[in-house]
Amino acid sequence: MSVTADVAVVGVGPAGLAAAVAAAEAGARVAVVDAGNQPGGQFWRHAPESVREADGHGHHGWSTYLDLRARFDAARGAGRITYLPGLQVWMAERTGLPGSAEFVLRTTAAVASSGAAPATVAADRLVLCPGGYDRQLPVPGWELPGVMAAGGIQAFIKANGVLPGKRFVIAGTGPFLLPVAAGIAEAGGKVLAVLESSSPSAWLPHLGAATGVPEKALEGAEYAAVFAKHRIPYRTRSIVTEVLGPDKAEGVRTAKVDADGRVRPGTEREYADVDVVGFGWGFTPQMELPVALGVETRLDADGSLVGVVDERQQSSVPGLYLAGEVTGVGGATLAVLEGLAAGAAAARPDSHVPVKQPAAIARHRRFARAMHHAHPVPAAWQDWLTPDTTVCRCEEVTAGEITEARDSLGARDIRSLKSFTRAGMGWCQGRVCGFAAGCLGAGPGEMPDAGSLASSAKRPLAAPVGIGELAALDN
Amino acid sequence: MTTQPVTISFDGRPLTAAAGQSVGAALASQGITAWRSTRKGGKPRGLFCGIGVCFDCLVTVDGEPNQRACLVEACEGMEVEGS
Amino acid sequence: MSQSSDVLVIGAGVIGAATAYFAAQQGQSVTVLDKGLPASGTSSACEGNILVSDKELGPELELTRYSLGVWHNDLEEHKKLWEFESKGGIIVASRESSLASLNRVMAVQNSYGVDVEELDQAALREAEPHISPEALGGASYREDCQVQPMLVAAHLVRLATEAGARFIADTPVTGFLRSARDGGRVTGVRTPRGDFPAGAVVNCTGTWAGELAAMAGVEVPVLPRRGFVMVTEPLPPMVHHKVYAAEYIDNVGSSDAGLQASPVVEGTPAGSILIGSTRERVGFDRKVSTAALGLLARNATSLFPFLKDVKAIRHYHGFRPYCPDHLPVIGHDDRAPGLWHAAGHEGAGIGLSAGTGKLLAQALAGLTPDMDLSPFAPARFGEFGSVRHHRNSEHREEATA
Ligand SMILES: Cc1cc2nc3c(=O)[nH]c(=O)nc-3n(C[C@H](O)[C@H](O)[C@H](O)COP(=O)(O)OP(=O)(O)OC[C@H]3O[C@@H](n4cnc5c(N)ncnc54)[C@H](O)[C@@H]3O)c2cc1C
Ligand SMILES: Cc1cc2nc3c(=O)[nH]c(=O)nc-3n(C[C@H](O)[C@H](O)[C@H](O)COP(=O)(O)OP(=O)(O)OC[C@H]3O[C@@H](n4cnc5c(N)ncnc54)[C@H](O)[C@@H]3O)c2cc1C
Ligand code: FES
């Protein structure tokens, strides 16, 4: 199948949903591709609509979703939006041919049994809103079954209405650990502890006020109430040092850390009877499509590689707009604001209609920056590893193998570590281990620079694709 | 709306899942946390990222190998195999 | 100014790494400079085949066989470091006409001492059980083998430093030091980190070799030729040799026994199958070509139909450094005394690196090299560029190893 449009949007989470709506309402013909089966993305993920009507339970900003969703459905009804769910973009190309569409997207069914037929989408402008995924720092035992990404636990609950286990420990850093734990407790799970590596003492209300985003203060108060109701211990300056097995997660060892993340001797303790451990160290924006199209990138305050955009969300590539996590991890409200700006600009690239709510975007970016500074990746995290800790889960490459390649072969960036050790060469193509491998390559206490991260985000196949499908490419 | 539970099979054993659940959720909510072993170390693996990014949760669905259990919706009669 | 070395090698790809290794083994003081890290150029965007089967008779085949000897003898003790595997190559014919051509080529190769054995349909199927039912027969090359090229470059640099060489990363050469006498002899290089004087300077910069030569005022025509390689999901062993199609030979006259094979399909120790590789002359264009991916996929599935149900998880491309006559330049550049070149190994630089490094180290030490290097003389192109432009000159997209 082939679809042509004025504007193509990849991703229909908060940013993409807003972008599609804004572009369609400004008169553009819009094509929307998303790997999921229904709109919502990560933040507004909900059970299949064929099974259960979404009631917004456990969601924030649900009224915003309902508003955008109604406008999205209306534009679809009016034939202005072509929605292509269940398809994963595996390649985005610039044609560079005068007279033909500037961007071409190639897609493949995200799930083979879904029956979604691959489509090729050609469009003059492209808005990329692919979001991100939980960032991970390996610790001994993190490869055991029962260990999950914190966001993955939340996604599981939102989509399935059940829990992946009974007794949980959530660890990492960032305010996002709060809704994860709250969601588990509200769904009937026991959260033994939330371990936060930094010490953001009542920062949420404080920062919310300081940066002019009062709704964050409200959210903070809400979580505090849930934590109190379910008696969830929230331990700051604390980490999981090891997940205890042997064949699946059965407990965790924890410790207190200093401001740099160094374990304070004598503070170790154990939690037994744990069946799910959730880790989240912020998020990694999904950068392969922007990088493949050649956008200028930068390092954000949280150490992530993100795309550079102007005030209309346009990247350094003319006609290519970015919104949501790929411009800097900043939460759903910001993603919606950016999506609205990007969609409107992509629909009318030559008009100079001023961006709506530029002040709100700036405020949320400020808040995000403050949040990243309050929740850094602990400088000493590499000390938590033993030489045989798995770093690359797919290819089973250990920390020892990585530091050996660094020290004896001079591998410093993620790309050369991958060449020499196979870290990042497996199914996930370094999405999960890339950041951690980059830290190890950069050396103790260091984080990867933009060049190193870009070498990892270079994934010219943005998703696995059948060789039979490739053979059938008309070209 | 179809809210009837569905029956799938996992490695030949029947398993009940709520309508609309993913295969991964169907397995995990029955206490099955691992269904694949790694090539090199033979280590057990199941769900990790929960959103289709990590490929740790691969299963064979109706003969189609390497499907992400966290994304595939469980349907009546579906045959799921680990590896 | 840095301390003077006997030999200064520019470039830490496989060619520079091998040259540095053997020069250091000879007891020379060696400095290696690279603008990036070891194996950051073509040597990290290729495949690691060491092939005898596809070589043109004459100097190319001779250098290949010499190099193979170096891999097996001089470098034997290090084999494990770079995953050396003697897995053998198989060329498959799926048409009567190509089978006939393949047989002709085998006869000629045999007479040159290449270890090649005919495979009938049954033998072919035994060697490669998943081969297409359409395959009629093939040829087996036991000498063909493979290495992991990035590890070759990185470990040879490391071993060279253990033998006394020094390696300096992130140091681009920006010009040459010339003496006022001796016909402007090259006496070292300039870099942003200062000058590096040396008795001899070796240009091992692959596709950049022409640029470097130009800095010394000489012309070495090394051009880029793009190639795509596709990598599959990890699988249990399905493909046991390097397997390629012979359909090409149809176009190759019987007098020209040079064989240009179609894509190589090969299993790797990690379980992925590599499907390589296209050959295009598009300069340094880094844009992905769906045409190239489609071609690779079609060729690969015609050899191994099971691949159509397998997923590609990544692809990459590199630029082969090639000269108009498809032979590398190896040796002293008489036009710029003191400057040596080892570049332009095209689609065979990994296999040829060991031999190139050893021969060059001999010449640098003033010894007579084991093999005559005159066919590879840097100045052979003369003022008007190409002399032997007899193959691969078409602009169409081809496929080869
Ligand atoms: C699992 C998870 C849970 C989260 N929960 C919260 C939370 O509770 N609170 C909070 O404040 N923040 C949460 N976040 C952070 C959250 O992602 C952002 O705040 C917000 O959702 C970002 O919106 P977005 O539109 O940029 O991306 P997303 O919501 O991530 O949407 C991106 C969409 O793009 C699609 N996509 C990506 N790549 C492709 C491709 N190649 N082809 C086709 N489609 C593609 C995805 O399927 C997805 O639907 C969560 C993040 C994750 C990963
Ligand atoms: C797709 C593909 C498949 C291939 N398959 C095979 C195969 O199976 N078998 C085989 O034998 N060969 C194969 N080749 C060919 C092989 O990769 C090359 O011949 C070989 O890598 C060339 O090595 P090199 O050291 O000359 O160049 P490179 O590896 O490119 O090294 C040159 C080095 O010079 C450095 N440099 C450049 N300019 C400067 C400067 N100014 N100052 C300092 N340093 C500089 C670069 O950073 C680089 O590290 C393939 C090639 C491709 C593209
Ligand atoms: S759990 Fe990560 S892909 Fe399914």
Side-chain angles (χ1 to χ4, degrees):
Chain A
M1 187 183 24
S2 226
V3 175
T4 55
D6 302 322
V7 176
V9 178
V10 177
V12 67
L17 192 57
V21 164
E25 290 176 356
R29 284 176 311 138
V30 182
V32 179
V33 190
D34 192 285
N37 294 326
Q38 56 196 28
Q42 306 306 349
F43 190 64
W44 290 319
R45 181 184 287 274
H46 50 284
E49 290 164 13
S50 58
V51 171
R52 210 176 325 129
E53 199 175 324
D55 56 5
H57 181 77
H59 278 283
H60 282 97
W62 193 246
S63 59
T64 308
Y65 169 74
L66 290 178
D67 169 52
L68 289 171
R69 178 64 192 273
R71 290 155 69 187
F72 181 80
D73 290 346
R76 274 183 78 194
R80 285 202 305 278
I81 289 181
T82 307
Y83 176 39
L84 302 162
L87 293 178
Q88 208 160 357
V89 175
W90 60 265
M91 185 159 92
E93 298 173 86
R94 284 170 82 184
T95 63
L97 301 175
S100 72
E102 178 61 17
F103 299 98
V104 175
L105 306 174
R106 313 270 176 177
T107 69
T108 185
V111 169
S113 58
S114 73
T120 301
V121 179
D124 295 328
R125 270 97 55 205
L126 175 61
V127 188
L128 292 176
C129 311
Y133 44 85
D134 297 82
R135 182 160 67 182
Q136 295 298 337
L137 299 178
V139 288
W142 78 305
E143 75 280 21
L144 291 169
V147 177
M148 289 182 72
I153 297 174
Q154 189 201 47
F156 186 104
I157 301 170
K158 284 184 180 175
N160 298 292
V162 292
L163 286 164
K166 295 190 178 69
R167 292 165 59 85
F168 297 74
V169 169
I170 304 299
T173 192
F176 174 59
L177 302 179
L178 306 178
V180 172
I184 294 167
E186 296 283 76
K190 174 81 191 157
V191 181
L192 300 175
V194 173
L195 306 173
E196 161 63 61
S197 67
S198 71
S199 178
S201 52
W203 69 275
L204 207 55
H206 173 69
L207 280 187
T211 52
V213 188
E215 61 266 36
K216 294 292 176 190
L218 272 178
E219 247 179 73
E222 218 177 287
Y223 295 134
V226 177
F227 271 51
K229 174 173 142 204
H230 296 280
R231 296 171 197 273
I232 303 174
Y234 182 68
R235 306 200 191 288
T236 57
R237 291 267 162 90
S238 299
I239 62 162
V240 166
T241 56
E242 186 178 357
V243 181
L244 305 169
D247 301 318
K248 58 183 172 65
E250 294 186 349
V252 293
R253 199 164 282 148
T254 69
K256 287 265 174 205
V257 290
D258 67 15
D260 287 333
R262 253 180 296 272
V263 170
R264 287 168 43 201
T267 61
E268 293 88 353
R269 62 178 279 192
E270 265 183 43
Y271 289 84
D273 290 329
V274 175
D275 55 3
V276 181
V277 185
F279 286 116
W281 296 95
F283 294 95
T284 295
Q286 201 122 260
M287 284 297 289
E288 48 275 339
L289 294 174
V291 165
L293 290 168
V295 309
E296 188 188 336
T297 55
R298 64 179 177 87
L299 214 51
D300 201 19
D302 62 348
S304 292
L305 187 76
V306 300
V308 174
V309 290
D310 65 15
E311 71 289 348
R312 290 158 65 83
Q313 301 297 128
Q314 186 167 219
S315 72
S316 62
V317 174
L320 174 56
Y321 300 77
L322 308 175
E325 308 292 56
V326 286
T327 67
V329 171
T333 312
L334 177 59
V336 168
L337 293 170
E338 291 187 353
L340 290 173
R348 306 240 188 108
D350 299 322
S351 83
H352 291 281
V353 184
V355 179
K356 282 190 208 144
Q357 302 182 295
I361 291 184
R363 255 196 336 268
H364 278 272
R365 289 225 171 102
R366 255 193 332 268
F367 174 79
R369 244 191 329 272
M371 175 184 85
H372 295 320
H373 286 304
H375 293 278
V377 167
W381 80 267
Q382 296 179 38
D383 298 351
W384 310 340
L385 304 174
T386 61
D388 58 1
T389 306
T390 301
V391 173
C392 168
R393 302 167 63 94
C394 299
E395 295 296 306
E396 305 180 83
V397 182
T398 63
E401 290 169 288
I402 289 176
T403 49
E404 166 72 19
R406 175 192 70 201
D407 297 340
S408 77
L409 301 180
R412 224 178 26 207
D413 61 356
I414 305 175
R415 175 191 141 110
S416 38
L417 286 170
K418 170 168 134 185
S419 295
F420 300 154
T421 68
R422 298 197 58 78
M425 279 231 195
W427 269 107
C428 90
Q429 289 290 295
R431 286 172 173 89
V432 178
C433 70
F435 179 80
C439 291
L440 289 167
E446 302 292 329
M447 301 222 288
D449 59 22
S452 181
L453 289 173
S455 77
S456 164
K458 219 169 128 194
R459 302 182 186 104
L461 286 185
V465 56
I467 292 175
E469 276 176 65
L470 292 174
L473 276 180
D474 40 24
N475 98 65
Chain B
M1 293 203 189
T2 49
T3 49
Q4 290 294 313
V6 298
T7 304
I8 65 172
S9 75
F10 171 66
D11 287 342
R13 281 174 289 150
L15 209 123
T16 307
Q21 270 185 351
S22 69
V23 166
L27 294 171
S29 52
Q30 305 280 330
I32 303 170
T33 53
W35 44 83
R36 183 175 80 83
S37 28
T38 58
R39 269 174 306 122
K40 208 165 119 189
K43 298 281 172 54
R45 292 285 170 85
L47 292 174
F48 179 66
C49 75
I51 60 167
V53 166
C54 75
F55 292 82
D56 251 354
C57 64
L58 297 177
V59 284
T60 298
V61 176
D62 291 337
E64 186 81 40
N66 298 324
Q67 299 300 302
R68 287 166 279 181
C70 64
L71 299 185
V72 181
E73 191 177 319
C75 298
E76 184 60 39
M78 199 173 244
E79 288 175 15
V80 177
E81 291 157 79
S83 60
Chain C
M1 182 167 341
S2 169
Q3 204 186 332
S4 181
S5 335
D6 298 334
V7 176
L8 184 134
V9 176
I10 315 172
V14 283
I15 301 294
T19 302
Y21 171 82
F22 283 105
Q25 297 292 318
Q26 292 272 5
Q28 313 240 50
S29 65
V30 179
T31 298
V32 187
L33 304 181
D34 198 290
K35 66 187 171 84
L37 299 171
S40 48
T42 308
S43 301
S44 65
C46 60
E47 296 166 272
N49 299 320
I50 303 177
L51 300 185
V52 181
S53 45
D54 71 339
K55 295 299 179 291
E56 180 142 355
L57 302 180
E60 192 185 2
L61 179 61
E62 249 179 87
L63 182 58
T64 303
R65 304 191 59 178
Y66 176 78
S67 198
L68 200 57
V70 178
W71 284 110
H72 280 298
N73 301 314
D74 305 64
L75 297 176
E76 164 74 26
E77 60 177 311
H78 304 306
K79 272 182 176 175
K80 280 217 179 84
L81 293 176
W82 39 72
E83 301 172 6
F84 188 100
E85 206 187 337
S86 296
K87 62 188 331 197
I90 290 181
I91 301 186
V92 176
S94 304
R95 286 204 301 265
E96 289 297 345
S97 57
S98 39
L99 190 59
S101 315
L102 181 58
N103 285 331
R104 265 197 319 273
V105 169
M106 278 196 282
V108 181
Q109 287 177 326
N110 245 321
S111 71
Y112 278 77
V114 172
D115 178 358
V116 52
E117 188 193 349
E118 190 182 336
L119 297 178
D120 63 15
Q121 231 174 355
L124 176 59
R125 239 161 280 283
E126 191 179 324
E128 287 296 341
H130 301 284
I131 197 84
S132 159
E134 274 156 40
L136 298 174
S140 155
Y141 296 84
R142 276 180 295 242
E143 292 168 291
D144 286 357
C145 39
Q146 95 180 15
V147 290
Q148 206 274 37
M150 293 82 91
L151 290 175
V152 170
H155 279 291
L156 284 176
V157 168
R158 179 182 63 81
L159 292 166
T161 57
E162 281 170 14
R166 65 181 167 154
F167 169 67
I168 307 174
D170 306 318
T171 310
V173 168
T174 53
F176 290 94
L177 308 175
R178 309 297 287 256
S179 104
R181 290 167 295 124
D182 288 347
R185 188 178 174 77
V186 170
T187 56
V189 299
R190 292 188 187 289
T191 80
R193 292 186 198 238
D195 293 350
F196 290 82
V201 173
V202 195
N203 172 16
C204 302
T205 56
T207 46
W208 292 272
E211 242 170 73
L212 269 287
M215 290 179 196
V218 292
E219 193 189 341
V220 172
V222 178
L223 300 163
R225 168 164 292 181
R226 186 167 77 166
F228 277 97
V229 178
M230 206 150 79
V231 185
T232 72
E233 61 182 84
L235 294 165
M238 300 287 274
V239 176
H240 307 281
H241 304 81
K242 299 164 181 306
V243 181
Y244 21 150
E247 278 25 275
Y248 250 107
I249 333 173
D250 284 357
N251 310 327
V252 180
S254 56
S255 62
D256 187 348
L259 191 58
Q260 293 187 302
S262 305
V264 187
V265 178
E266 60 173 301
T268 62
S272 298
I273 291 176
L274 296 189
I275 300 172
S277 49
T278 57
R279 221 179 217 215
E280 305 163 89
R281 272 205 220 147
V282 290
F284 279 114
D285 185 355
R286 295 183 184 277
K287 239 177 70 192
V288 173
S289 142
T290 27
L293 297 181
L295 178 72
L296 284 177
R298 281 189 292 277
N299 282 332
T301 48
S302 73
L303 274 177
F304 287 100
F306 80 85
L307 286 173
K308 75 177 182 350
D309 297 322
V310 166
K311 287 200 159 54
I313 61 170
R314 73 188 169 103
H315 66 72
Y316 58 88
H317 63 264
F319 296 93
R320 301 177 184 86
Y322 79 99
C323 294
D325 63 357
H326 302 284
L327 288 178
V329 286
I330 306 172
H332 185 250
D333 195 328
D334 299 334
R335 301 165 299 182
L339 178 63
W340 301 62
H341 305 282
H345 293 72
E346 198 161 354
I350 309 306
L352 297 180
S353 61
T356 299
K358 183 167 178 190
L359 293 167
L360 203 56
Q362 291 167 340
L364 283 163
L367 307 169
T368 307
D370 293 341
M371 196 186 131
D372 175 23
L373 288 177
S374 60
F376 312 112
R380 69 183 184 275
F381 301 97
E383 222 178 306
F384 300 103
S386 147
V387 277
R388 296 196 323 161
H389 211 121
H390 69 278
R391 64 163 171 139
N392 286 351
S393 46
E394 321 86 292
H395 272 254
R396 71 193 157 94
E397 195 171 277
E398 307 162 352
T400 192

